[in-house]
Structures are given as structure tokens and as C-alpha cells.
Amino acid sequence: MSVRVRFAPSPTGPLHIGGVRTALYNYLFAKKHQGTFILRIEDTDQGRFVPGAEEYICESLAWLGIEPTEGPTYGGKFGPYKQSDRKEIYHQYAFELIEKGKAYYAFDTPEELDLARKSSENDSFKYGVHSRMSMKNSLTLSEGESKTFIDSGDYVIRMLIPTDQDIKINDEIRGEVSFNSNELDDKVILKPDGMPTYHLANIIDDHLMEITHVIRGEEWLSSTAHHVLLYQFFDWNAPSFAHLPLILKPTGKGKLSKRDGAEFGFPVFPLTWARDGEESFPGFREAGMLPNALLNFLALLGWSPGDDKEIMSIDEMVELFSLEKIVKSGARFDIEKANWFNQQYILAMDESLIVEAITNQAIANGYDLTKLPYCVTMMKARVNNLDQILKDAYYLFEKPHQYDNDTFEKKYKPENKSHFNQIANILPEIGDKEAYETCIKSYISDSGCKMGDIFPVLRIALTGILQGPDLFDTFSILGGSEAKERILKLIN
RNA sequence: GGCCCGUUCGUCUAGGGGUUAGGACGCCAGAUUUUCAUUCUGGUAGCACGGGUUCGAUUCCCGUACGGGCUACCA
């Protein structure tokens, strides 16, 4: 049987970075086994539906290069791939469970359930084996009473959890995990609006779509017992389960979430999410992160190939990937390491592609595009994300905004003023790095002044700061008259 | 609170009954560079604790502690 895995996000907003990793692992696993990677949209909660979220998910996967081959916009013969389009299917199976005596109607109002919870100790109320007979449902009410509720459509369907049963799950990552059914609640599987809950929809779809491996976050581990039971109710074979460790906040206190980006100062979404009248979130793409660097970093957050290999292409990851190598414990998100990966990818990237990538930014700033290739050559080893190049090297395109006065005062000796004037005057109008280097160095040796007195000041004159690319490269890209102007401006 | 899962340098991890416990990020130092960055070299730092099992446990078992997840008519 060929491997079929699915990534099943719900369109409630932008796709979180943890979701991206789940998608990645599913993708790697599918490719590794020449299987199929499927996208399924889990939009059973109409109240949480966010327009544009589905498009965002697809765009993110496309940007990262881990696209599904089956899904809403990708086609496939197991559709529809959006759960809201499968409502009737779930109905049919929910009623089948009622007929089989594996589920029942419940009529308790949300207020009544709330009350039951609040009046229990520590909110320990559970709608299950010990409490269902004192609640309002088709098990406790007369047939007539039940029928009245059912006819009015005011009901939910709950799964009937068996008593005293051990449910064992053989997780691909964690090994055997077991639950006792007495601790499980009678989960709602069909809501009053006619939509299924995640639990029902999920197992029906996985079965119908012939999913062989369910690879998802650890937050699902607890409810897997319910899912296994549901498979048993239907007499279906359950797929294999693999529950991934969670990606934690940098502090380790809790899983990384939506607003942690603002809290810790880095994106937690692949693409920027900005909608009118909505809270917006920055994305890695817009922050200058390369998709393969992000993937590489994410892959290693919870998995390792078993040796010391760290920089890997997607193909290499596919080759090396295995569920057994996935780590069991949660991993903190470390932006420093993500930046390092990005830097490595920038260093290895073809320079013409970098130029291409930052051209729009240069146009927006009104910069001279002919300088871009040279600028990239000079700057690429000095940044760890793409949009930092033009931010850091703005002085190659416009006059310095400000000067490092402390250093200037420390390095500039008024008695050298004439030397700077001289240098400014002998600069060739155009020339390569060597031309400027020869010109200035020979002046220095002829005049007997010290490099240490001259270079730092020239650097500040040209760029405003002390650190940056090679001084003579900077002269070359700026040209003689611009350099002269900047030198004269500073020393006068 | 209950149930479930986890715990190797600050972080991501390799390893696994006998190892100088390995790598990477970060940090520190040195080399290179007119500066910064890159690159290179070196350094810092770890098996949560307590009991077993064993000739020997970081590794296996049991507890404890700590951390995380779930505990909805959300996914």
C-alpha cells in the first residue's frame, strides 16, 4: 500500500510556523516513500473561519516549495478536500453510529453544561461513563421526549465511550501510549449546526482518503484515544500515528504562539499577514529569510539525521528523513540559529539571484540599480537576511544619514586636514578597487602620514560608520567626485 | 485538580551498560583583514534528583522533582 499523508490545517488565520514544520515532516515522509502529500482544509468551525487563510496556507507552501499534490486547488480523486463541502458524508456516518448504538443524542444546553462544570470540583466534570446517565440525552429521556428534541433539530451527537476499556496506541515516535476509557469523555461528534467536530471529520476523512500515516502535533495525542475508538466503532483500520514534539517559546514556557513574535521580536509566520481592520503579523519571507534556510532550520527543530549533518537541501532531507529519528521532547525556537542558517544560505546563494531578490527594495528606495551587483558582492558576507543588505549599505546609494562623531573625533587630527584635501583632489573619477587603493596608499607612503590616521576618517567620511566593506571597494562604487564631496564635507 | 507525554552543555541535538559524553548555534580568546563581517584555530559549558538491577549505569526499571500537552457544541 502506498504512503498517503495529509496536512490538515484549519483556516482560522495565518499558518503558524509549527504548522509549517508539520507540513514539512509530512512532505518529507511522503517523498521519502514515494507517497502522496495531501492538503485538507479543516473548516468545520464556521465561527472561526477567516477569509484568505486558505489562500495564505497554499501560498506559504508554494513559497517554501513543499506543495501537496492533492488538495482543494491541486485536484485528486478523493475530494472534496474541504470539510465544509463534505457535510453530508459526516451526517451519514454519524447516524450510522447512532444506529450501531455507538453514539447517542444529547440535549443539554451550553448553559447546563457550564453549570455542571462549575459545580464540580476543579471543573473536573466530564460528560462520560460516570455522568451521562444524569444528563439530558436519548439514554435518559423517554423516546417521546427525545423525539421532540430531535425533531426540533436542537441536539448534538455524542460518541458513547465504553466502560473499563484500555485503549492502546502505538505511536511511531513515542511507542505505546495507553488510556483507560473511563477517563475519556463522550465527545460531541456532530454539532447543532450540522457540522461535525474535528474528531469525527478527521477520522472519516483519513479513512476515506486512505491516509496511511497521521503525522501531527503532540497536542493531538490526548484525543487520539477517541479517534482509535471511532475507528473501532466503524470497524475500520486505523492509520499509524506519529505525534510530533511541540515548538516552544524561547523561554520554554509553553508552545510558541501567534503573539510570541511581537513578544520576542521575530516572525512566527512564513508570510506577512496584513488584512484591513485585523491584527497584522510579520512574516519570514518579508524579513528576508530564504525559504530553504527556514526549512532547514525547522527540519532540525525536532529531528536530526543521526549524524552531524546540518546544512541540507530538501532532497537530502527527503533522503535522510525517518520518523524514528524524530525527537520526543519539545524544542525551543532559537532565532539566533535560524539567522545563522539564513546567513549560510545567503553565502552559498548565486549573487545574481540575490540581486534579483532585492531589486524591488532598491527600486522602492530609488537606488541606482547598476550598483546592485557590486553592492551584493561586498555585503553578502555581512548580513544574515536579505533585506539587511540595502539597509546596512544605504550609504552606497545616498549620503550618510549620520556620522559616528565619537570615533571621528578620536581618529581625526586637525593637522592632517591638508592630507585629506590632497587625497580628495587626486582621486580618479572612475576606477576599480585597485586604482583607488594604489592612489591612496602611494599618497600615504609619499607624504609620510599613517594609515591609522587616514583610513578610519575616510571610512567615516564615506559611510558615516567605522565598520563595513572594504574601503577601496566603497571608493570604487561611489566614484571619485562623490567620494571627494563626502570627504570635504566631513573635514570642513 | 485529573489524564497523557517528556527531561544530555544557555539553545538545537548525537550517543547509549564500560566513551577523554561528539557536533552545531551562542559566548570568550587568538589568527587573517585598514574596520566590520566572512573564514580558520582554540576555549567555555551538559547526562534533573533519589532508589534499585548490574562487577559497572548518563544509558535499563521504579519513584520524586521539574517542564509541556489535553481537559469545548475549537481545531
Side-chain angles (χ1 to χ4, degrees):
Chain A
M1 191 158 76
S2 80
V3 163
R4 291 174 56 81
V5 295
R6 85 298 196 281
F7 174 53
S10 58
T12 55
L15 176 61
H16 182 267
I17 205 73
V20 171
R21 195 200 52 177
T22 301
L24 172 62
Y25 286 1
N26 273 283
Y27 176 89
L28 294 177
F29 187 75
K31 296 295 164 195
K32 168 84 181 186
H33 299 281
Q34 289 90 40
T36 309
F37 176 44
I38 298 149
L39 176 69
R40 187 172 69 221
I41 301 295
E42 310 230 328
D43 56 348
T44 55
D45 186 350
Q46 293 164 326
R48 294 212 307 156
F49 176 78
V50 173
E54 184 184 334
E55 291 70 21
Y56 179 100
I57 290 164
C58 293
E59 195 188 341
S60 298
L61 298 180
W63 176 62
L64 291 160
I66 50 172
E67 284 188 279
T69 47
E70 253 180 58
T73 56
Y74 308 96
K77 51 181 199 257
F78 294 83
Y81 292 93
K82 207 188 290 190
Q83 292 185 327
S84 56
D85 294 336
R86 303 170 63 81
K87 206 169 163 181
E88 301 316 314
I89 300 174
Y90 308 124
H91 271 221
Q92 177 195 325
Y93 284 107
F95 292 118
E96 180 183 328
L97 248 26
I98 294 245
E99 276 161 36
K100 282 181 161 176
K102 303 292 190 187
Y104 59 96
Y105 296 99
F107 316 113
D108 318 84
T109 64
E111 293 73 31
E112 287 166 342
L113 292 172
D114 235 36
L115 190 70
R117 269 179 215 112
K118 291 218 172 86
S119 52
S120 66
E121 273 178 67
N122 316 314
D123 287 353
S124 63
F125 172 78
K126 200 178 294 160
Y127 206 122
V129 300
H130 298 303
S131 66
R132 69 169 77 100
M133 294 317 285
S134 55
M135 301 304 286
K136 209 160 72 185
N137 53 50
S138 59
L139 267 22
T140 58
L141 265 37
S142 73
E143 221 168 287
E145 289 171 313
S146 290
K147 192 171 185 312
T148 310
F149 275 114
I150 295 166
D151 289 345
S152 75
D154 203 12
Y155 65 85
V156 298
I157 294 179
R158 286 181 182 272
M159 57 188 293
L160 200 153
I161 300 287
T163 307
D164 289 328
Q165 193 175 314
D166 282 321
I167 298 129
K168 291 190 193 334
I169 298 157
N170 219 302
D171 191 88
E172 300 277 335
I173 296 169
R174 283 150 218 286
E176 188 179 287
V177 179
S178 67
F179 296 85
N180 186 279
S181 65
N182 294 353
E183 272 132 22
L184 270 29
D185 61 336
D186 289 353
K187 285 235 181 299
V188 169
I189 54 174
L190 200 75
K191 298 183 273 189
D193 65 359
M195 286 300 251
T197 57
Y198 170 86
H199 308 291
L200 211 224
N202 160 69
I203 72 113
I204 290 175
D205 289 346
D206 284 345
H207 176 256
L208 261 24
M209 295 179 183
E210 296 175 15
I211 300 301
T212 55
H213 301 258
V214 171
I215 303 170
R216 68 206 334 180
E218 194 191 343
E219 69 264 35
W220 294 110
L221 186 55
S222 308
S223 51
T224 305
H226 290 272
H227 304 161
V228 167
L229 237 26
L230 248 12
Y231 282 106
Q232 288 175 10
F233 289 174
F234 285 115
D235 279 315
W236 293 339
N237 287 324
S240 298
F241 292 100
H243 287 95
L244 270 19
L246 266 15
I247 297 180
L248 274 18
K249 300 175 196 289
T251 55
K253 299 247 177 269
K255 55 177 174 176
L256 190 66
S257 66
K258 213 171 180 176
R259 286 182 186 77
D260 288 336
E263 164 111 28
F264 299 103
F266 54 80
V268 295
F269 296 99
L271 317 177
T272 292
W273 173 270
R275 306 287 126 112
D276 287 341
E278 265 181 63
E279 193 173 358
S280 64
F281 298 95
F284 278 107
R285 181 228 256 159
E286 288 75 10
M289 173 81 67
L290 265 13
N292 287 354
L294 218 210
L295 250 24
N296 199 154
F297 166 67
L298 246 24
L300 260 16
L301 218 52
W303 171 78
S304 88
D307 57 18
D308 293 337
K309 201 166 175 51
E310 290 217 289
I311 301 287
M312 287 173 279
S313 66
I314 296 187
D315 287 345
E316 285 172 302
M317 290 191 254
V318 166
E319 181 63 33
L320 266 15
F321 191 76
S322 79
L323 295 177
E324 299 79 66
K325 286 298 200 183
I326 291 176
V327 171
K328 295 181 177 69
S329 49
R332 301 184 195 200
F333 191 92
D334 179 10
I335 192 64
E336 297 284 350
K337 187 131 188 188
N339 287 337
W340 177 80
F341 271 104
N342 206 221
Q343 185 176 55
Q344 295 304 305
Y345 275 79
I346 290 173
L347 248 14
M349 193 173 172
D350 195 284
E351 289 184 17
S352 63
L353 293 176
I354 300 180
V355 170
E356 210 178 295
I358 63 174
T359 294
N360 282 340
Q361 190 188 356
I363 291 171
N365 288 343
Y367 289 169
D368 178 358
L369 299 184
T370 61
K371 290 180 176 177
L372 244 34
Y374 200 167
C375 168
V376 164
T377 305
M378 289 160 58
M379 293 301 294
K380 71 169 189 170
R382 282 166 238 272
V383 295
N384 54 31
N385 63 266
L386 253 25
D387 70 340
Q388 202 63 40
I389 293 177
L390 292 177
K391 283 186 192 164
D392 283 358
Y394 78 95
Y395 48 73
L396 298 178
F397 304 90
E398 49 184 309
K399 302 247 187 293
H401 298 340
Q402 54 187 22
Y403 294 95
D404 178 349
N405 288 112
D406 289 352
T407 307
F408 175 68
E409 271 154 35
K410 218 179 297 170
K411 298 289 181 185
Y412 179 67
K413 295 180 180 137
E415 62 264 35
N416 286 330
K417 186 170 180 177
S418 63
H419 290 309
F420 291 111
N421 274 319
Q422 295 277 4
I423 289 171
N425 281 320
I426 60 168
L427 256 19
E429 177 51 35
I430 52 165
D432 59 11
K433 174 187 174 180
E434 282 71 28
Y436 288 97
E437 184 163 7
T438 311
C439 167
I440 294 170
K441 280 188 173 167
S442 55
Y443 175 84
I444 289 174
S445 62
D446 292 348
S447 67
C449 49
K450 288 200 266 289
M451 294 202 300
D453 288 337
I454 304 297
F455 287 157
V457 176
L458 289 178
R459 188 173 276 290
I460 289 174
L462 263 38
T463 71
I465 51 174
L466 206 54
Q467 57 273 42
D470 186 277
L471 184 57
F472 306 108
D473 274 323
T474 308
F475 269 104
S476 176
I477 195 167
L478 251 23
S481 53
E482 176 66 23
K484 175 179 178 179
E485 203 180 300
R486 292 188 187 187
I487 293 169
L488 264 22
K489 178 177 182 232
L490 183 70
I491 61 169
N492 287 309

